[in-house]
Amino acid sequence: MLKAKDLLGLRTLSTDEMDEIMRVAIPMKDIIMRDIKKVPTLRGKSMATLFFENSTRTKSSFEIAAKYLSADCTNLAVSTSSVQKGETLIDTAITLEVMGIELFVMRHGASGAPHFLGRNTKARIINAGDGMNEHPTQGLLDMFTMKDKKGDLGNLTVTILGDVAHSRVARSNIWGLTKYGANVRVVGPETLLPIELQKMGVEVYTDVDKALKGADVVNVLRLQKERQSSGLLPSLVEYNKFWGLTSKRLELIKEDGIIMHPGPMNRGVEIMPEVYEDPRSVVDEQVTNGVAIRMALLFMMLGGKTSDEIN
Amino acid sequence: MKLIKDGHIIDPANSIDDIMDILIIDEKISKIEKNIEVKPEYEIINAKGLMVFPGLIDMHVHLREPGFEYKETIKTGLAAAAKGGFTTIACMPNTKPAIDERTIVEALDRKARGAKVNLKVIGAATKNIDSDQLTEMGDMKEAGIVAISNDGKPVKNAYITRRVLEYAKKFDLILIEHCEDESMANGGFIHEGYYSTILGLKGIPREAEDLIVARDIALAKMTGGKVHIAHISSKNSVDLVREAKKQGINITAEVTPQHLVLTDQAVESFDTSTKINPPFRSEQDREALIAGLIDGTIDMIATDHAPHARWEKEVEFAYAPFGVVGLETAVSLMYTKLVKTGIIKYSTLIEKMANNPGRIFNLGGELKIGNDADITLFDPNIEWIVNPDEFYSMGRNTPFKGWNLDGQVIHTIVKGDFALKNGKVI
Ligand SMILES: [Zn+2]
Ligand SMILES: [Zn+2]
């Protein structure tokens, strides 16, 4: 059971709750692997996606998760030109709520937007990424993948590589992993590492080689290309030279270490193509696990109670 | 004729800290003595158990007129001031149009006519706030402005600031500076620190303030002009001002009650009533502000009362405008959090909220025979809960909603007349 109405971030989730979600995701993953991938569990339940930022991947992942569980999913296409703030957002949500929507999956460019909506609606909310704050389902699917591949999270050394400052994926990973006692390292150019990061319980590096040495997991963050025009980076080429994940740098992580990326990738910038093709890359499996985690959350938040029920 | 009887008068400017009476005749303070003889013609104000202060003065208020009357009007703002115990407030010129010429100053004076609380106007330093053209500050001074400021922004660059300071000297006008280097702030909206990092909200480093404070100290030194630092928030800036004062540079500073009480941790909930500029800073900054207040580096407390309409603040954090209201909570908050806790003395509170703004901006601020009878009576024994729905201000944007506070203003007397009587605005 989740304690709060809304799933806003991993900062406010306990390890018990995260354990439960990941436990429920296991049978969900089995469903995905079946020939007939549809169970009637959430038949008659209604949810909507509210995406104020484009994200084909995350949105489809939620839609597919809903479909496999037989929930009705409405997609509210919010074109970027008509993005309006404040009461417009509340109005939109309440209109859908009175039409029977019980859960919103929300992606928004402003940190705290789902928290704001959550305070103003009775419907439950899953944060599918808010500004630079959190992306909790990505954090959960990353941890689920790590746990699946490497076992107990508390024994792992995880290196998060790249633009930590602008990354909600990094923040959710840090909150989740540090709660399990993992050794979390972050590395990138100082311009992309926010101030007082070590207070989150991580080791902060600017030298990639040091940060990768002996890591069980390297989670590579996507670099937004506009960073070079805002005084944060001289060029993508130089970024790749000093911080890109190359096969040479990959020699530094544990032999059985794994490589992760939340996608979509900028090949040749933060990650080299041969690294993606390395047998230790679990990027495709992350995508499958993402559907499983989202199914687990929809199940828990739209009707299901405990993990026993699904079997 | 009014006789304030048996109140505990505190006025450090006149070294008064005692139970005494005050006799008011014809708008003026006529006597301050022990046991003034009661005469039948006196209206007696029983002040037994009350604290009697020189009328409080707030040098930093946004009244939103002209142009933003849906946020606040002169009428509602002055009512809020009376409720908070302020007998004089000064309003900032970042209105629409900006208060940047004599006619607008006069129009505001006309609007304030009949109001009990004294309204003083601060004129813009440059036309339309953000320009290279100096305002006719001499003409505005004749119409009554008490200072100049481009609040919301600092004067746009070092060169123009130099010229403003040089020119303003002839009219003895102090430049009140909102210190924020725009390029350094870079679109941020909370303090750059642990909370901006974990919440993924864009930060404004304290150095954005420090850079303009340092610039203005250099220019005050160069020109001999007077600079007053508005809403100081950074510990480094406190150090810069302290050092400049040691060198005899003409610099003064104010701090807001909210910066003395809250830190950036308040932003954690994404509540837009915690979005202010300069932002709530770290605990070390807050401690430095208190130290600066105590050692005299910071001369006064000013609210930066900044009302907004409900719908403007009920939005995602990034889109909300900056500012909180403060007139109706300031003195109770300072009493509860600083005086009652023993951090500062009663006398320090009165210096910062009456004596010093009065002296620096030439607005009275002390209980002296012959002065206007501007007096605030405060009951330290009232306990109350902040309920924005009861505010006289149209603004409801306070981070102190639901807080339990001690002490409340009971009567606010301006020129011998009640602006607030028994807690009700007249
Ligand atoms: Zn300001
Ligand atoms: Zn202001």
Side-chain angles (χ1 to χ4, degrees), chain B residues 44-75:
Chain B
I44 307 292
I45 301 166
N46 180 7
K48 207 170 200 139
L50 303 184
M51 308 302 293
V52 181
F53 305 146
L56 306 179
I57 298 171
D58 188 350
M59 288 309 299
H60 196 139
V61 173
H62 295 271
L63 288 188
R64 306 305 190 195
E65 271 202 74
F68 302 101
E69 289 82 355
Y70 67 94
K71 295 176 194 262
E72 187 85 290
T73 63
I74 286 171
K75 193 165 177 250

PDB file of all heavy atoms in Angstrom, chain B residues 44-75:
ATOM      1  N   ILE B  44      -9.526  59.236  27.892  1.00  0.00           N
ATOM      2  CA  ILE B  44      -8.524  58.368  28.525  1.00  0.00           C
ATOM      3  C   ILE B  44      -8.374  57.062  27.735  1.00  0.00           C
ATOM      4  O   ILE B  44      -9.364  56.398  27.421  1.00  0.00           O
ATOM      5  CB  ILE B  44      -8.923  58.011  29.982  1.00  0.00           C
ATOM      6  CG1 ILE B  44      -9.234  59.276  30.794  1.00  0.00           C
ATOM      7  CG2 ILE B  44      -7.839  57.162  30.655  1.00  0.00           C
ATOM      8  CD1 ILE B  44      -8.053  60.158  31.075  1.00  0.00           C
ATOM      9  N   ILE B  45      -7.132  56.735  27.408  1.00  0.00           N
ATOM     10  CA  ILE B  45      -6.858  55.430  26.794  1.00  0.00           C
ATOM     11  C   ILE B  45      -6.121  54.610  27.847  1.00  0.00           C
ATOM     12  O   ILE B  45      -4.975  54.916  28.202  1.00  0.00           O
ATOM     13  CB  ILE B  45      -5.990  55.587  25.527  1.00  0.00           C
ATOM     14  CG1 ILE B  45      -6.716  56.478  24.508  1.00  0.00           C
ATOM     15  CG2 ILE B  45      -5.653  54.220  24.924  1.00  0.00           C
ATOM     16  CD1 ILE B  45      -5.845  56.976  23.389  1.00  0.00           C
ATOM     17  N   ASN B  46      -6.825  53.623  28.373  1.00  0.00           N
ATOM     18  CA  ASN B  46      -6.216  52.806  29.423  1.00  0.00           C
ATOM     19  C   ASN B  46      -5.183  51.873  28.804  1.00  0.00           C
ATOM     20  O   ASN B  46      -5.525  50.975  28.052  1.00  0.00           O
ATOM     21  CB  ASN B  46      -7.303  52.011  30.146  1.00  0.00           C
ATOM     22  CG  ASN B  46      -6.725  51.151  31.255  1.00  0.00           C
ATOM     23  OD1 ASN B  46      -5.528  51.251  31.566  1.00  0.00           O
ATOM     24  ND2 ASN B  46      -7.561  50.321  31.842  1.00  0.00           N
ATOM     25  N   ALA B  47      -3.917  52.107  29.104  1.00  0.00           N
ATOM     26  CA  ALA B  47      -2.845  51.321  28.497  1.00  0.00           C
ATOM     27  C   ALA B  47      -2.187  50.387  29.507  1.00  0.00           C
ATOM     28  O   ALA B  47      -1.089  49.893  29.290  1.00  0.00           O
ATOM     29  CB  ALA B  47      -1.816  52.249  27.871  1.00  0.00           C
ATOM     30  N   LYS B  48      -2.876  50.152  30.579  1.00  0.00           N
ATOM     31  CA  LYS B  48      -2.349  49.235  31.597  1.00  0.00           C
ATOM     32  C   LYS B  48      -2.108  47.857  30.973  1.00  0.00           C
ATOM     33  O   LYS B  48      -3.003  47.312  30.328  1.00  0.00           O
ATOM     34  CB  LYS B  48      -3.361  49.120  32.739  1.00  0.00           C
ATOM     35  CG  LYS B  48      -2.682  48.783  34.035  1.00  0.00           C
ATOM     36  CD  LYS B  48      -3.617  48.891  35.227  1.00  0.00           C
ATOM     37  CE  LYS B  48      -2.780  49.017  36.478  1.00  0.00           C
ATOM     38  NZ  LYS B  48      -3.307  49.979  37.410  1.00  0.00           N
ATOM     39  N   GLY B  49      -0.900  47.352  31.130  1.00  0.00           N
ATOM     40  CA  GLY B  49      -0.555  46.042  30.553  1.00  0.00           C
ATOM     41  C   GLY B  49      -0.168  46.115  29.091  1.00  0.00           C
ATOM     42  O   GLY B  49       0.196  45.100  28.496  1.00  0.00           O
ATOM     43  N   LEU B  50      -0.257  47.309  28.503  1.00  0.00           N
ATOM     44  CA  LEU B  50       0.112  47.439  27.081  1.00  0.00           C
ATOM     45  C   LEU B  50       1.505  48.044  26.937  1.00  0.00           C
ATOM     46  O   LEU B  50       1.990  48.739  27.821  1.00  0.00           O
ATOM     47  CB  LEU B  50      -0.896  48.331  26.342  1.00  0.00           C
ATOM     48  CG  LEU B  50      -2.373  47.925  26.367  1.00  0.00           C
ATOM     49  CD1 LEU B  50      -3.188  48.885  25.504  1.00  0.00           C
ATOM     50  CD2 LEU B  50      -2.547  46.483  25.878  1.00  0.00           C
ATOM     51  N   MET B  51       2.121  47.763  25.790  1.00  0.00           N
ATOM     52  CA  MET B  51       3.388  48.384  25.444  1.00  0.00           C
ATOM     53  C   MET B  51       3.061  49.574  24.541  1.00  0.00           C
ATOM     54  O   MET B  51       2.209  49.470  23.652  1.00  0.00           O
ATOM     55  CB  MET B  51       4.287  47.413  24.679  1.00  0.00           C
ATOM     56  CG  MET B  51       4.495  46.053  25.348  1.00  0.00           C
ATOM     57  SD  MET B  51       5.204  46.141  27.015  1.00  0.00           S
ATOM     58  CE  MET B  51       6.842  46.751  26.651  1.00  0.00           C
ATOM     59  N   VAL B  52       3.730  50.674  24.788  1.00  0.00           N
ATOM     60  CA  VAL B  52       3.488  51.887  24.000  1.00  0.00           C
ATOM     61  C   VAL B  52       4.758  52.218  23.217  1.00  0.00           C
ATOM     62  O   VAL B  52       5.817  52.434  23.810  1.00  0.00           O
ATOM     63  CB  VAL B  52       3.095  53.069  24.909  1.00  0.00           C
ATOM     64  CG1 VAL B  52       2.833  54.313  24.075  1.00  0.00           C
ATOM     65  CG2 VAL B  52       1.861  52.705  25.747  1.00  0.00           C
ATOM     66  N   PHE B  53       4.635  52.175  21.882  1.00  0.00           N
ATOM     67  CA  PHE B  53       5.795  52.396  21.012  1.00  0.00           C
ATOM     68  C   PHE B  53       5.612  53.684  20.213  1.00  0.00           C
ATOM     69  O   PHE B  53       4.476  54.075  19.929  1.00  0.00           O
ATOM     70  CB  PHE B  53       5.918  51.273  19.965  1.00  0.00           C
ATOM     71  CG  PHE B  53       5.970  49.869  20.504  1.00  0.00           C
ATOM     72  CD1 PHE B  53       5.394  48.827  19.764  1.00  0.00           C
ATOM     73  CD2 PHE B  53       6.613  49.565  21.696  1.00  0.00           C
ATOM     74  CE1 PHE B  53       5.455  47.510  20.214  1.00  0.00           C
ATOM     75  CE2 PHE B  53       6.668  48.243  22.152  1.00  0.00           C
ATOM     76  CZ  PHE B  53       6.082  47.216  21.414  1.00  0.00           C
ATOM     77  N   PRO B  54       6.723  54.283  19.796  1.00  0.00           N
ATOM     78  CA  PRO B  54       6.569  55.310  18.760  1.00  0.00           C
ATOM     79  C   PRO B  54       5.928  54.636  17.546  1.00  0.00           C
ATOM     80  O   PRO B  54       6.189  53.452  17.297  1.00  0.00           O
ATOM     81  CB  PRO B  54       8.001  55.738  18.426  1.00  0.00           C
ATOM     82  CG  PRO B  54       8.915  54.946  19.300  1.00  0.00           C
ATOM     83  CD  PRO B  54       8.120  53.975  20.119  1.00  0.00           C
ATOM     84  N   GLY B  55       5.086  55.325  16.821  1.00  0.00           N
ATOM     85  CA  GLY B  55       4.403  54.715  15.678  1.00  0.00           C
ATOM     86  C   GLY B  55       5.398  54.029  14.754  1.00  0.00           C
ATOM     87  O   GLY B  55       6.448  54.587  14.425  1.00  0.00           O
ATOM     88  N   LEU B  56       5.065  52.797  14.347  1.00  0.00           N
ATOM     89  CA  LEU B  56       5.994  52.035  13.518  1.00  0.00           C
ATOM     90  C   LEU B  56       6.052  52.612  12.100  1.00  0.00           C
ATOM     91  O   LEU B  56       5.061  53.160  11.597  1.00  0.00           O
ATOM     92  CB  LEU B  56       5.560  50.566  13.473  1.00  0.00           C
ATOM     93  CG  LEU B  56       5.370  49.884  14.835  1.00  0.00           C
ATOM     94  CD1 LEU B  56       4.918  48.433  14.649  1.00  0.00           C
ATOM     95  CD2 LEU B  56       6.642  49.938  15.684  1.00  0.00           C
ATOM     96  N   ILE B  57       7.209  52.476  11.480  1.00  0.00           N
ATOM     97  CA  ILE B  57       7.431  53.014  10.128  1.00  0.00           C
ATOM     98  C   ILE B  57       7.931  51.881   9.233  1.00  0.00           C
ATOM     99  O   ILE B  57       8.841  51.147   9.609  1.00  0.00           O
ATOM    100  CB  ILE B  57       8.479  54.147  10.159  1.00  0.00           C
ATOM    101  CG1 ILE B  57       7.964  55.303  11.029  1.00  0.00           C
ATOM    102  CG2 ILE B  57       8.817  54.615   8.742  1.00  0.00           C
ATOM    103  CD1 ILE B  57       9.007  56.373  11.303  1.00  0.00           C
ATOM    104  N   ASP B  58       7.305  51.750   8.074  1.00  0.00           N
ATOM    105  CA  ASP B  58       7.727  50.709   7.125  1.00  0.00           C
ATOM    106  C   ASP B  58       8.167  51.377   5.827  1.00  0.00           C
ATOM    107  O   ASP B  58       7.351  51.962   5.115  1.00  0.00           O
ATOM    108  CB  ASP B  58       6.558  49.750   6.858  1.00  0.00           C
ATOM    109  CG  ASP B  58       6.987  48.537   6.039  1.00  0.00           C
ATOM    110  OD1 ASP B  58       8.126  48.524   5.526  1.00  0.00           O
ATOM    111  OD2 ASP B  58       6.172  47.596   5.920  1.00  0.00           O
ATOM    112  N   MET B  59       9.451  51.271   5.530  1.00  0.00           N
ATOM    113  CA  MET B  59       9.992  51.945   4.349  1.00  0.00           C
ATOM    114  C   MET B  59       9.886  51.122   3.071  1.00  0.00           C
ATOM    115  O   MET B  59      10.408  51.531   2.033  1.00  0.00           O
ATOM    116  CB  MET B  59      11.475  52.302   4.588  1.00  0.00           C
ATOM    117  CG  MET B  59      11.689  53.427   5.569  1.00  0.00           C
ATOM    118  SD  MET B  59      10.702  54.917   5.178  1.00  0.00           S
ATOM    119  CE  MET B  59      11.353  55.342   3.557  1.00  0.00           C
ATOM    120  N   HIS B  60       9.234  49.970   3.143  1.00  0.00           N
ATOM    121  CA  HIS B  60       9.214  49.152   1.917  1.00  0.00           C
ATOM    122  C   HIS B  60       7.876  48.433   1.757  1.00  0.00           C
ATOM    123  O   HIS B  60       7.678  47.326   2.251  1.00  0.00           O
ATOM    124  CB  HIS B  60      10.365  48.143   1.957  1.00  0.00           C
ATOM    125  CG  HIS B  60      10.671  47.530   0.631  1.00  0.00           C
ATOM    126  ND1 HIS B  60      11.962  47.305   0.193  1.00  0.00           N
ATOM    127  CD2 HIS B  60       9.866  47.107  -0.370  1.00  0.00           C
ATOM    128  CE1 HIS B  60      11.910  46.762  -1.019  1.00  0.00           C
ATOM    129  NE2 HIS B  60      10.649  46.628  -1.370  1.00  0.00           N
ATOM    130  N   VAL B  61       6.976  49.096   1.049  1.00  0.00           N
ATOM    131  CA  VAL B  61       5.635  48.548   0.854  1.00  0.00           C
ATOM    132  C   VAL B  61       5.258  48.699  -0.617  1.00  0.00           C
ATOM    133  O   VAL B  61       5.577  49.707  -1.245  1.00  0.00           O
ATOM    134  CB  VAL B  61       4.616  49.314   1.734  1.00  0.00           C
ATOM    135  CG1 VAL B  61       3.198  48.876   1.435  1.00  0.00           C
ATOM    136  CG2 VAL B  61       4.929  49.109   3.214  1.00  0.00           C
ATOM    137  N   HIS B  62       4.606  47.687  -1.159  1.00  0.00           N
ATOM    138  CA  HIS B  62       4.074  47.785  -2.525  1.00  0.00           C
ATOM    139  C   HIS B  62       2.563  47.935  -2.424  1.00  0.00           C
ATOM    140  O   HIS B  62       1.875  47.019  -2.007  1.00  0.00           O
ATOM    141  CB  HIS B  62       4.450  46.541  -3.337  1.00  0.00           C
ATOM    142  CG  HIS B  62       5.928  46.416  -3.538  1.00  0.00           C
ATOM    143  ND1 HIS B  62       6.588  46.979  -4.602  1.00  0.00           N
ATOM    144  CD2 HIS B  62       6.886  45.826  -2.781  1.00  0.00           C
ATOM    145  CE1 HIS B  62       7.881  46.730  -4.508  1.00  0.00           C
ATOM    146  NE2 HIS B  62       8.098  46.028  -3.402  1.00  0.00           N
ATOM    147  N   LEU B  63       2.071  49.117  -2.796  1.00  0.00           N
ATOM    148  CA  LEU B  63       0.626  49.362  -2.689  1.00  0.00           C
ATOM    149  C   LEU B  63      -0.092  49.145  -4.015  1.00  0.00           C
ATOM    150  O   LEU B  63      -1.311  49.218  -4.086  1.00  0.00           O
ATOM    151  CB  LEU B  63       0.346  50.759  -2.148  1.00  0.00           C
ATOM    152  CG  LEU B  63       0.660  50.968  -0.666  1.00  0.00           C
ATOM    153  CD1 LEU B  63       0.168  52.322  -0.201  1.00  0.00           C
ATOM    154  CD2 LEU B  63       0.065  49.872   0.208  1.00  0.00           C
ATOM    155  N   ARG B  64       0.668  48.923  -5.061  1.00  0.00           N
ATOM    156  CA  ARG B  64       0.121  48.485  -6.359  1.00  0.00           C
ATOM    157  C   ARG B  64      -0.680  49.529  -7.111  1.00  0.00           C
ATOM    158  O   ARG B  64      -1.223  49.230  -8.175  1.00  0.00           O
ATOM    159  CB  ARG B  64      -0.748  47.225  -6.205  1.00  0.00           C
ATOM    160  CG  ARG B  64      -0.063  46.053  -5.501  1.00  0.00           C
ATOM    161  CD  ARG B  64       1.217  45.656  -6.149  1.00  0.00           C
ATOM    162  NE  ARG B  64       1.752  44.396  -5.609  1.00  0.00           N
ATOM    163  CZ  ARG B  64       2.994  43.989  -5.800  1.00  0.00           C
ATOM    164  NH1 ARG B  64       3.838  44.731  -6.507  1.00  0.00           N
ATOM    165  NH2 ARG B  64       3.418  42.842  -5.306  1.00  0.00           N
ATOM    166  N   GLU B  65      -0.805  50.723  -6.550  1.00  0.00           N
ATOM    167  CA  GLU B  65      -1.484  51.792  -7.299  1.00  0.00           C
ATOM    168  C   GLU B  65      -0.451  52.761  -7.811  1.00  0.00           C
ATOM    169  O   GLU B  65       0.467  53.105  -7.061  1.00  0.00           O
ATOM    170  CB  GLU B  65      -2.486  52.526  -6.391  1.00  0.00           C
ATOM    171  CG  GLU B  65      -3.860  51.896  -6.409  1.00  0.00           C
ATOM    172  CD  GLU B  65      -4.964  52.862  -5.974  1.00  0.00           C
ATOM    173  OE1 GLU B  65      -5.312  53.754  -6.761  1.00  0.00           O
ATOM    174  OE2 GLU B  65      -5.446  52.703  -4.842  1.00  0.00           O
ATOM    175  N   PRO B  66      -0.586  53.231  -9.048  1.00  0.00           N
ATOM    176  CA  PRO B  66      -1.613  52.876 -10.030  1.00  0.00           C
ATOM    177  C   PRO B  66      -1.281  51.588 -10.803  1.00  0.00           C
ATOM    178  O   PRO B  66      -0.140  51.177 -10.835  1.00  0.00           O
ATOM    179  CB  PRO B  66      -1.584  54.075 -10.989  1.00  0.00           C
ATOM    180  CG  PRO B  66      -0.156  54.549 -10.934  1.00  0.00           C
ATOM    181  CD  PRO B  66       0.307  54.289  -9.521  1.00  0.00           C
ATOM    182  N   GLY B  67      -2.314  51.008 -11.386  1.00  0.00           N
ATOM    183  CA  GLY B  67      -2.100  49.957 -12.380  1.00  0.00           C
ATOM    184  C   GLY B  67      -2.444  48.550 -11.955  1.00  0.00           C
ATOM    185  O   GLY B  67      -2.808  47.725 -12.782  1.00  0.00           O
ATOM    186  N   PHE B  68      -2.284  48.239 -10.665  1.00  0.00           N
ATOM    187  CA  PHE B  68      -2.545  46.863 -10.237  1.00  0.00           C
ATOM    188  C   PHE B  68      -3.538  46.853  -9.079  1.00  0.00           C
ATOM    189  O   PHE B  68      -3.347  46.158  -8.084  1.00  0.00           O
ATOM    190  CB  PHE B  68      -1.244  46.173  -9.828  1.00  0.00           C
ATOM    191  CG  PHE B  68      -0.201  46.139 -10.908  1.00  0.00           C
ATOM    192  CD1 PHE B  68       0.863  47.041 -10.898  1.00  0.00           C
ATOM    193  CD2 PHE B  68      -0.272  45.214 -11.939  1.00  0.00           C
ATOM    194  CE1 PHE B  68       1.825  47.019 -11.895  1.00  0.00           C
ATOM    195  CE2 PHE B  68       0.685  45.177 -12.942  1.00  0.00           C
ATOM    196  CZ  PHE B  68       1.734  46.088 -12.924  1.00  0.00           C
ATOM    197  N   GLU B  69      -4.612  47.607  -9.239  1.00  0.00           N
ATOM    198  CA  GLU B  69      -5.581  47.757  -8.148  1.00  0.00           C
ATOM    199  C   GLU B  69      -6.266  46.446  -7.786  1.00  0.00           C
ATOM    200  O   GLU B  69      -6.878  46.349  -6.723  1.00  0.00           O
ATOM    201  CB  GLU B  69      -6.631  48.814  -8.505  1.00  0.00           C
ATOM    202  CG  GLU B  69      -6.106  50.245  -8.513  1.00  0.00           C
ATOM    203  CD  GLU B  69      -5.391  50.650  -9.798  1.00  0.00           C
ATOM    204  OE1 GLU B  69      -5.200  49.788 -10.684  1.00  0.00           O
ATOM    205  OE2 GLU B  69      -5.005  51.831  -9.914  1.00  0.00           O
ATOM    206  N   TYR B  70      -6.151  45.443  -8.650  1.00  0.00           N
ATOM    207  CA  TYR B  70      -6.742  44.144  -8.303  1.00  0.00           C
ATOM    208  C   TYR B  70      -5.891  43.403  -7.273  1.00  0.00           C
ATOM    209  O   TYR B  70      -6.333  42.426  -6.685  1.00  0.00           O
ATOM    210  CB  TYR B  70      -6.935  43.286  -9.559  1.00  0.00           C
ATOM    211  CG  TYR B  70      -5.639  42.861 -10.210  1.00  0.00           C
ATOM    212  CD1 TYR B  70      -5.064  41.632  -9.906  1.00  0.00           C
ATOM    213  CD2 TYR B  70      -4.985  43.693 -11.116  1.00  0.00           C
ATOM    214  CE1 TYR B  70      -3.874  41.248 -10.486  1.00  0.00           C
ATOM    215  CE2 TYR B  70      -3.794  43.312 -11.698  1.00  0.00           C
ATOM    216  CZ  TYR B  70      -3.237  42.092 -11.374  1.00  0.00           C
ATOM    217  OH  TYR B  70      -2.047  41.714 -11.935  1.00  0.00           O
ATOM    218  N   LYS B  71      -4.641  43.859  -7.057  1.00  0.00           N
ATOM    219  CA  LYS B  71      -3.790  43.222  -6.049  1.00  0.00           C
ATOM    220  C   LYS B  71      -3.921  43.929  -4.697  1.00  0.00           C
ATOM    221  O   LYS B  71      -3.939  43.305  -3.645  1.00  0.00           O
ATOM    222  CB  LYS B  71      -2.318  43.303  -6.454  1.00  0.00           C
ATOM    223  CG  LYS B  71      -1.913  42.548  -7.701  1.00  0.00           C
ATOM    224  CD  LYS B  71      -0.436  42.839  -8.006  1.00  0.00           C
ATOM    225  CE  LYS B  71      -0.010  42.416  -9.387  1.00  0.00           C
ATOM    226  NZ  LYS B  71       0.665  41.108  -9.411  1.00  0.00           N
ATOM    227  N   GLU B  72      -3.947  45.256  -4.748  1.00  0.00           N
ATOM    228  CA  GLU B  72      -4.013  46.067  -3.528  1.00  0.00           C
ATOM    229  C   GLU B  72      -4.303  47.495  -3.962  1.00  0.00           C
ATOM    230  O   GLU B  72      -3.966  47.881  -5.075  1.00  0.00           O
ATOM    231  CB  GLU B  72      -2.658  46.033  -2.797  1.00  0.00           C
ATOM    232  CG  GLU B  72      -2.634  46.698  -1.421  1.00  0.00           C
ATOM    233  CD  GLU B  72      -3.080  45.798  -0.275  1.00  0.00           C
ATOM    234  OE1 GLU B  72      -4.292  45.475  -0.214  1.00  0.00           O
ATOM    235  OE2 GLU B  72      -2.229  45.415   0.550  1.00  0.00           O
ATOM    236  N   THR B  73      -4.955  48.230  -3.065  1.00  0.00           N
ATOM    237  CA  THR B  73      -5.156  49.657  -3.344  1.00  0.00           C
ATOM    238  C   THR B  73      -4.549  50.438  -2.194  1.00  0.00           C
ATOM    239  O   THR B  73      -4.194  49.872  -1.154  1.00  0.00           O
ATOM    240  CB  THR B  73      -6.650  50.006  -3.446  1.00  0.00           C
ATOM    241  OG1 THR B  73      -7.248  49.744  -2.168  1.00  0.00           O
ATOM    242  CG2 THR B  73      -7.356  49.169  -4.507  1.00  0.00           C
ATOM    243  N   ILE B  74      -4.457  51.721  -2.389  1.00  0.00           N
ATOM    244  CA  ILE B  74      -3.936  52.566  -1.318  1.00  0.00           C
ATOM    245  C   ILE B  74      -4.817  52.423  -0.083  1.00  0.00           C
ATOM    246  O   ILE B  74      -4.328  52.301   1.036  1.00  0.00           O
ATOM    247  CB  ILE B  74      -3.867  54.022  -1.804  1.00  0.00           C
ATOM    248  CG1 ILE B  74      -2.690  54.138  -2.777  1.00  0.00           C
ATOM    249  CG2 ILE B  74      -3.714  55.002  -0.653  1.00  0.00           C
ATOM    250  CD1 ILE B  74      -2.606  55.418  -3.506  1.00  0.00           C
ATOM    251  N   LYS B  75      -6.109  52.366  -0.312  1.00  0.00           N
ATOM    252  CA  LYS B  75      -7.049  52.255   0.802  1.00  0.00           C
ATOM    253  C   LYS B  75      -6.829  50.952   1.587  1.00  0.00           C
ATOM    254  O   LYS B  75      -6.697  50.963   2.811  1.00  0.00           O
ATOM    255  CB  LYS B  75      -8.471  52.312   0.232  1.00  0.00           C
ATOM    256  CG  LYS B  75      -9.524  52.508   1.270  1.00  0.00           C
ATOM    257  CD  LYS B  75     -10.859  52.937   0.643  1.00  0.00           C
ATOM    258  CE  LYS B  75     -11.901  53.052   1.729  1.00  0.00           C
ATOM    259  NZ  LYS B  75     -12.925  52.030   1.670  1.00  0.00           N
TER     260      LYS B  75
END
